[in-house]
Amino acid sequence: QVQLVESGGGLVQAGGSLRLSCAASGSIFSINVMAWHRQAPGKQRELVAGISSSGTTTYADSVKGRFTISRDNAKNTMYLQMNSLKPEDTAVYYCNAARFLGAATYDYWGQGTQVTVSS
């Protein structure tokens, strides 16, 4: 099992910045990929950014150039630096960890942290 706890959300004006953190505990040695997802009211949850155990990153087109995902393996923590925030970035942001075992994928989720960007 993997436990994930997010922090760092809040209210910020458009153009501002926030940094989200996701602290992982438990069977963290088994994690292959970690990612940030978000869900805005009335919308489906979407992938924001992901990072593999080797450090390869991927971003949604909507956040490229503004958001940066990183991980500190020594602290078992993943981060999402969000700059130039826009009102459309308003959502609950979820930390996700995935473990690949053969053909199966095991997903773990944090409880979510609210990010609100005012115009």
Side-chain angles (χ1 to χ4, degrees), residues 7-62:
S7 61
L11 173 64
V12 64
Q13 287 189 331
S17 298
L18 281 174
R19 188 176 81 154
L20 305 183
S21 299
C22 172
S25 60
S27 302
I28 55 177
F29 61 90
S30 64
I31 296 173
N32 297 104
V33 174
M34 295 190 74
W36 289 98
H37 296 247
R38 67 186 180 187
Q39 187 166 20
K43 295 187 177 181
Q44 288 190 327
R45 190 174 296 190
E46 63 175 355
L47 174 68
V48 176
I51 185 166
S52 71
S53 56
S54 63
T56 302
T57 59
T58 186
Y59 295 92
D61 288 343
S62 59

Side-chain angles (χ1 to χ4, degrees), residues 6 35 37 80 83 100:
E6 303 102 332
H37 296 247
L80 184 68
N83 298 328
F100 308 138

